[in-house]
Amino acid sequence: MKKQTETLNRPDNTAFTQQRLPAWQPMLSAGIVIPGFVVIGLAFIGIGVALFVTSQNIQVLERDYTGVEQNSDNDCSRCLNRTNCVCAVQFNLAKQLEGPVFFYYGLSNYFQNHRKYGVSRDDYQLSGDTYYFENPEDDCIPYQYDSRNRPIVPCGSKANSLFNDTFRLYRLVGGQKKQVPFDGKGIAWWTDYNLKYRNPTLVDGSLAKAFNGTVKPVNWPKPVYELDTSDSSNNGFLNQDFLVWMRRAALPGFRKLYRRISEGEYADGLPTGNYSLEINYNYPVHGFDGRKKVFFSNVSWMGGKNQFLGIAYLVVGSLCIVMSLVMLIVYAKYRFPDEDS
Amino acid sequence: MSNILNISLSSVFVPPCFKATAISLRPAVSVVTYLDDHHTWETGSSVTVPAAQHQDNSTRSHKYTPLNFLPYTLYEQFQRFANFYFLLIVVMQCVPAIATIPWYITVFPLLIVLSVRALKDLVSDLGRRRSDKQINSRSCDLLTSGGFQTVQWKDVCVGDVLRIHKDQIIPADLLLLQSTEPHSLCYVETADIDGETNLKFRQALAATHAELTSDPADQSLSSFNGVAFCEEPNGNLYSFRGELRWRGETYRLDTEHILLRGTVLRNTDHAYGVTIYAGADTKIMKNFGKVIVKTTQVERILNRVILGIMLFVLLLDLLLAVGSGVFEHQVSSRLEVLSALGGDASASYRGFLSFWGYVILMSPAIPMSLYISLEVMKVFQCFFINWDLKMYHADSDKPAHARNTSLNEELGQVGHLLSDKTGTLTQNCLIFRQCCIAGDIYGQTGLLSVPNPLDLSWNRFSCGGLQFYDQRLVDRLVKQRCPLGREFFAALALCHTVMTEWKEGAPHYQAASPDEEALVGAARDLGWVFLSRTRDSLTLSELDHTRQYQLLTLIDFTSQRRRMSVLVKEPGGELKLYCKGADIVILERLQKDCPHRESCQRALERDPFSALQLFSQGCLRTLCVAVRSVTEAQWAVWRQVLDQCQTETSQREARLEELHARMERDLTLLGVTAIEDRLQDGVPETISTLRQAGIKVWVLTGDKTETAVNVGYACRLMDPDTSLLQGDELRQLLQSPDPDVKILQKKKSEMWCTDGCLPRDGTTIVINGLELAELIDEPELGARFVTLANRCQSVLCCRVTPGQKAAVVQLVRRHTPSVTLAIGDGANDVNMIKTAHVGVGLYGVEGSQAVQNADFALAQFRFLGRLLLVHGHWSNLRICLFLRYFLYKTTAFAFVNVWYSFFSGFSAQRLYESWFISLYTVMYTSMPVQCLALFEQDVSAEGCMCWPEVYKKGQRLEFFSPRALTTTLLYSLYSSLVLCLLPLGVFQYLTLDFQTLAVTMGTSAVFMTTAEVIEGGPVRSKNDPVLTKMNGTPFRRGTVQRRSSYAVSQGKGFGRLITSGAGLRTAAPQQQTPHPAATDSHTAQHLPGNAQGESAEAL
């Protein structure tokens, strides 16, 4: 009894309080490090080779249609300084492009990742809050109100600069142009389409009336509620092309998904033959030395064509091997005598 | 009541208390005036200090009040650079044009940081407030117009008359007016002030004693209306200058009349005094020093590093802003979507805005939550210290306690250990261990197990506790076979200045020196019981035969003489001179043909078999005891001289000295005593381990030189062959133009020693308080002293005041870059503990002042080894790793934005999601590094203790050196580059968008920094701690006589009291004593007695 009261303050004798928790501390001796480096190096080289080979097997067809240079395969140079111009890119597939084929457009020297560009938007508008239809946020300046002080919906530089070239692909079979069907559904992020972007509630069953009192962005030919009048689920803020554009690119050179080719006879890919891509050339990039490109590509388990990753793995793997060799030489020459045991 | 004051002297002075609540209760009894310099003493023109400068008697160590807490704590926290910086950032974030990160992202962590810190400060301040309150509300008796009333300490004011009870702590510095003892003597214990447990006496002025002594005392005290002139309040405990002007007379006052705050009244029923210094003016409080907020060295480096990072970041911001300007000018102007965004602003203005944008964007590079994480880590480390079973003292049920949670890493960097002696190294408990009588050595030392205690049941005065185990001696004594032994113990029982006090039928000894107490106590237990003394007689009970010796003369101990003698007349009429003293002093005064001289003499010639040699090997303190038979004729001659000396004044000292030399001659050696100044458990081992760890150990003690040196050897502060450097030799070295050169020439072989081994022939500096005072005053001399001391093995500072202890610490701090640690147990160490980088308090027997002011509290000195070598080393390692890692992860994280700027048009676009920035340090990367900071052990606890050399790494600050830091920062730059370019390389070919990139980037940052933790710990290599197990060097003794002496208290012993008779009641006038106990022959003569009838006992 007395003993108990005497040792009231005795600390607990546990592994934690006495700092005796089990621990593992690697002894990094040459016998562990050198084989370790070899193993890691080999593993990385293996991964690198796999990535590289996969990436090599991805087929990509890339065409620049900016029209700065005179090219035999397209006549877009004539559209360089004109609007509402149609031009076409001709190409030949010597080998079938395995499906599913993705069709991208790409821009370069275009700073979608510029900070001010990125914030120049009103998320409340885009989620269908009509209060902000009348009072767009200040972030949208100078695309907040038009010259007659009417609110712009969708406001901001980002929406205003919507990419508005359109594409149609024709397969040339025996002198006939046969349109290749594009699938434009589900090319935007699921979260954008279902959660983040909302059309305003319809007024009298009409989307257009919901936008009463607002004006279209300055550069747009038509208001947002007329982006796709044929399909109400692809109209307004929920238009897939609009959604794809509004998701900013990470780098000044970027590409964005335009359509998928996966329907009918093209489900297995684009067969060999001649094709013509007809372009409504609207978007001006000449002023800032930008380039416009189109891509036809298929994908693999690792995504699109990307040789960088494979090469990076190979380089690191090789470095590991080289380091292990260096260490082996150092070890053989200068090893501590007592480590022989 | 006649308390009209001398108006001319005190016209400006109104004691503050008279304006306070208790006005009507208190008579204005006296006035205290402080004089500010020496000149006023001479001229007599007094300067009265304005009333406001008089303190009340309350202690105040807390700093917050409910009103000032918030502003004060915010002020303190925003002095911290990082906090202030982030406050600015938050302000800037409210400007939309530059708000690259939303404001709430910064405010959220900042608020957490501020509130956690404020809470921590508040809790510790509340603790201080509680302890203040406890001290302030202690009670004492204050004289009012209605007699004595009990008031609280804090209500005492300068000028108040107080009544102090026996065993009461004195609440303020008092001028003793009278006491219930004869001659208004009183006894105080100053353990809390200077660490000495023996009693000191204080005596009131004869005038106040004569006039104010009455029964009851209230009346006479109420009419006291003297004016006290005192020097300005100061911290000098051992000097006081003052005057009392009363009834037209002027009386000199000195320390003898002063009762200091913090001392305890002993053996005196009541003492009455007037308060002259109160509260913060009291001498002990002046010694306490100010509250110093301690910041660690690592923290100071860290502040500089963070400042450096910040400047670097600002430079980067500037460069990026220039880039931004160029981009706006060259690119944006052509890109319509971008050029429109800037409005009409010019490119340079946009660049200017983007500079501030970058300042905000790069602010995460400054590790804001670093400080708070650090504090949390340190608190956890303190828990580990508190929890350590190996620092738990089961006997006192006291675990180690880290009171200050911000100094952990300094424990791993200590370069100088400054230790108190009494109560810290030693137990302040002296034990009679061995003796040598007639060439035979009795008793054993170094026993592993405690043998059965001696059977002393035949001795009714024996009160046990004798730690002397040799039945042979007892048998010989009892069977009367050893006449020399009998005389030896008679000498021990006679030759001393001990006073007795009778409690419960047994004598209790009060001695000026603990050595004497031990010797007289040993004699008592072995049958020679010192019962009582009067002015001219001593009563002994020799093996139950009571004998009275007539005391003819007593020659007291002084540090010059190093011996004391008594001349007594035995009951048989024979005259005997008993003398005891240091061996070298006694041996040269022995008779030529003294029988046992040889055995001792050989000791001086380094014969290992002599008793003295043996005792000193056991680290025992020896005294030689000798006797001389004196003839009546001789005594008659001496007496004549003595009587002459009484009247003569001119050459009195010299003549007395000559006489004493004549008396203490032709002695016959009776034996040698060996006393152990008992060390705390494990002290020698701990000190030797700490010295191996490269820590310089300095011992600072209020004790006298001989004792300190002795203990120094015993606790392995000095090796047996260490030579001492002291006095003039030291002075010469210091004053020579270049002490370094000189000491190298002189002691080359001793001073130079390869790193890692103990200097075999080291040198220890021994210095006393007076010499120290010089060093402290002269900065240049002080610097030299410290340089010299660093080359020596250790330093012993003797007879230093608490203030000087602190000054020494200050000296070391100023002249060396190393971390100082002060350890002590008493109130006299408080100042030193507060001044040192790290203060460690031991739970002492004498109250908890030291612990209260310490950063770490331990139960035993020996735990210091583990605290420093294990916890200190680990904490240091962990904290340095933690800091380096933290800097790494924040900078690597933030610099990614710099690289990304090249791809985003220098637009200050952040690369992370906004909340990710906020949560990155707070959440995502905090746990792994905290585990590192909690659990990392590069060397196991056993390893740390076994190879103290490991500690040196921490001392040299290797874990946080500029080189290590630079490496860390460069590595973080490299990491950020890789972290940015790899994902960008991958993204170049993919359609993935910015948000995906941000998430990828964030995830990789978390992965990378986490992986770095695993890699970050230092790797133990097989041959890191050199396996050099120290073997104890064979014991060799150089100079034996060093150990032979004994310590007297601060001032003088009781010798003067005994010979003057003051305070002793003579046996004769007993008849008037009404107390029944006084008729008992033993109790009648005791000193200091009870209060009965002192007026009748004229001496």
Side-chain angles (χ1 to χ4, degrees), chain B residues 40-52:
Chain B
T40 52
W41 293 103
E42 317 308 337
T43 58
S45 65
S46 65
V47 180
T48 41
V49 178

Side-chain angles (χ1 to χ4, degrees), chain B residues 607-727:
Chain B
D607 183 330
F609 300 108
S610 76
L612 282 172
Q613 186 72 36
L614 207 67
F615 293 158
S616 40
Q617 274 180 19
C619 288
L620 301 173
R621 214 187 280 179
T622 54
L623 278 179
C624 286
V625 181
V627 70
R628 177 184 181 185
S629 293
V630 180
T631 59
E632 287 282 356
Q634 277 172 320
W635 167 233
V637 178
W638 296 349
R639 188 174 189 167
Q640 203 182 351
V641 182
L642 275 176
D643 287 343
Q644 279 174 9
C645 286
Q646 292 294 327
T647 50
E648 191 178 340
T649 49
S650 57
Q651 289 177 324
R652 181 161 168 257
E653 293 299 322
R655 289 198 61 179
L656 269 178
E657 209 169 292
E658 185 200 345
L659 174 68
H660 292 158
R662 262 164 61 201
M663 290 164 79
E664 292 162 335
R665 217 170 58 188
D666 295 337
L667 301 168
T668 310
L669 188 68
L670 287 172
V672 181
T673 63
I675 285 179
E676 184 184 340
D677 188 357
R678 196 163 213 203
L679 295 176
Q680 303 265 4
D681 294 337
V683 165
E685 294 80 3
T686 307
I687 287 192
S688 121
T689 313
L690 291 178
R691 279 178 50 200
Q692 281 179 52
I695 299 174
K696 296 268 172 210
V697 185
W698 293 35
V699 170
L700 312 175
T701 175
D703 228 328
K704 55 180 242 150
T705 311
E706 288 88 337
T707 325
V709 169
N710 203 320
V711 170
Y713 281 107
C715 64
R716 290 196 218 158
L717 182 68
M718 293 108 94
D719 296 321
D721 41 13
T722 300
S723 58
L724 301 184
L725 181 63
Q726 57 181 328

Side-chain angles (χ1 to χ4, degrees), chain A residues 4-21 23 25-29 104 109-120 139-143 156-158 160-161 189 192 196 219 247-257 283-284 286-289 302-309 312 336 338-339 341, chain B residues 96-100 327-328 331-332 334-338 340-343 350 353-354 357 380-381 383-390 392 394 396-399 866 871 874 878 900 902-910 934-939 981-997 1018-1023:
Chain A
Q4 270 184 352
T5 53
E6 268 178 358
T7 57
L8 270 180
N9 298 321
R10 175 186 279 274
D12 294 335
N13 187 6
T14 64
F16 174 67
T17 56
Q18 302 308 312
Q19 307 200 54
R20 283 188 273 105
L21 289 174
Q25 196 164 32
M27 291 285 257
L28 294 185
S29 61
Y104 306 91
N109 209 8
Y110 193 103
F111 286 85
Q112 253 206 332
N113 60 0
H114 195 279
R115 179 175 69 87
K116 286 198 196 120
Y117 181 84
V119 295
S120 182
D139 285 337
C140 290
I141 293 171
Y143 302 107
S157 181
K158 209 163 165 185
N160 187 48
S161 58
W189 278 47
D192 286 352
K196 201 175 169 191
N219 288 359
R247 197 157 260 281
R248 324 158 54 187
L251 289 166
F254 60 89
R255 49 182 173 164
K256 286 174 183 283
L257 186 57
Y283 206 71
H286 183 56
F288 54 91
D289 292 337
M302 56 163 284
K305 192 177 180 82
N306 179 14
Q307 289 176 339
F308 180 86
L309 207 54
F336 301 110
D338 62 332
E339 274 193 14
S341 59
Chain B
I98 57 170
T100 44
F327 178 84
E328 295 290 337
V331 182
S332 287
R334 292 193 284 149
L335 186 57
E336 185 220 348
V337 283
L338 295 182
L341 289 171
R350 291 182 193 194
L353 284 185
S354 101
F380 270 104
Q381 290 180 349
F383 279 129
F384 279 129
I385 290 173
N386 297 352
W387 283 335
D388 195 341
L389 263 179
K390 288 186 178 147
Y392 166 77
S396 60
D397 189 29
K398 289 260 168 46
R866 194 173 165 84
H871 289 281
W874 281 351
R878 289 166 182 178
Y900 186 61
F902 290 91
F903 300 93
S904 70
F906 301 100
S907 59
Q909 170 63 47
R910 63 190 144 80
L934 277 184
F935 302 119
E936 176 65 17
Q937 300 178 4
D938 63 336
V939 181
L981 292 187
L982 268 183
L984 285 184
V986 174
F987 269 61
Q988 215 164 7
Y989 301 97
L990 297 184
T991 53
L992 297 172
D993 64 309
F994 175 79
Q995 195 183 3
T996 318
L997 176 71
V1019 178
R1020 190 198 308 184
S1021 81
K1022 259 184 185 171
N1023 47 349

Side-chain angles (χ1 to χ4, degrees), chain B residues 190 194 196 198-202 238 255-256 512 556-559 702 704 799 1047-1054:
Chain B
T190 55
D194 54 19
E196 293 180 17
N198 51 305
L199 296 186
K200 307 196 173 51
F201 65 88
R202 298 282 181 265
Y238 304 120
T255 26
E256 201 167 300
D556 203 1
F557 183 95
T558 67
S559 359
K704 55 180 242 150
R799 308 206 67 76
V1048 287
S1049 71
Q1050 200 75 49
K1052 308 145 248 189
F1054 289 140

Side-chain angles (χ1 to χ4, degrees), chain A residues 85-306:
Chain A
C85 166
V86 178
C87 63
V89 176
Q90 316 290 333
F91 62 94
N92 173 264
L93 276 182
K95 195 181 159 201
Q96 174 167 341
L97 197 58
E98 299 289 337
V101 176
F102 292 82
F103 174 57
Y104 306 91
Y105 64 88
L107 292 171
S108 67
N109 209 8
Y110 193 103
F111 286 85
Q112 253 206 332
N113 60 0
H114 195 279
R115 179 175 69 87
K116 286 198 196 120
Y117 181 84
V119 295
S120 182
R121 56 186 283 162
D122 185 346
D123 282 329
Y124 297 105
Q125 267 190 0
L126 296 172
S127 64
D129 190 334
T130 47
Y131 171 80
Y132 291 93
F133 279 31
E134 287 147 38
N135 309 291
E137 282 206 10
D138 290 345
D139 285 337
C140 290
I141 293 171
Y143 302 107
Q144 191 182 16
Y145 298 98
D146 73 349
S147 50
R148 286 159 59 196
N149 213 25
R150 289 174 300 182
I152 298 173
V153 177
C155 74
S157 181
K158 209 163 165 185
N160 187 48
S161 58
L162 178 68
F163 184 74
N164 54 5
D165 285 3
T166 53
F167 306 93
R168 272 183 307 279
L169 181 64
Y170 296 98
R171 186 177 173 203
L172 303 176
V173 185
Q176 278 197 329
K177 293 208 303 189
K178 195 175 168 193
Q179 188 169 2
V180 178
F182 277 157
D183 175 14
K185 281 208 168 64
I187 55 172
W189 278 47
W190 186 91
T191 45
D192 286 352
Y193 185 75
N194 291 291
L195 301 171
K196 201 175 169 191
Y197 291 78
R198 297 278 76 173
N199 275 325
T201 23
L202 305 181
V203 177
D204 303 334
S206 156
L207 183 63
K209 282 186 182 167
F211 284 88
N212 259 346
T214 67
V215 292
K216 66 176 175 61
V218 196
N219 288 359
W220 286 24
K222 52 191 176 184
V224 68
Y225 47 85
E226 286 172 13
L227 282 178
D228 187 353
T229 43
S230 60
D231 183 0
S232 64
S233 67
N234 191 30
N235 201 9
F237 297 146
L238 297 182
N239 181 274
Q240 298 274 341
D241 289 327
F242 179 66
L243 294 180
V244 167
W245 179 257
M246 291 300 278
R247 197 157 260 281
R248 324 158 54 187
L251 289 166
F254 60 89
R255 49 182 173 164
K256 286 174 183 283
L257 186 57
Y258 186 70
R259 293 290 182 266
R260 264 192 301 245
I261 302 168
S262 56
E263 284 173 7
E265 53 184 307
Y266 301 102
D268 293 333
L270 288 178
T272 52
N274 288 321
Y275 292 86
S276 168
L277 182 70
E278 216 173 275
I279 300 157
N280 274 2
Y281 194 112
N282 297 317
Y283 206 71
V285 292
H286 183 56
F288 54 91
D289 292 337
R291 289 303 175 94
K292 299 201 281 189
K293 285 177 186 170
V294 284
F295 303 86
F296 292 92
S297 168
N298 52 16
V299 297
S300 69
W301 55 268
M302 56 163 284
K305 192 177 180 82
N306 179 14

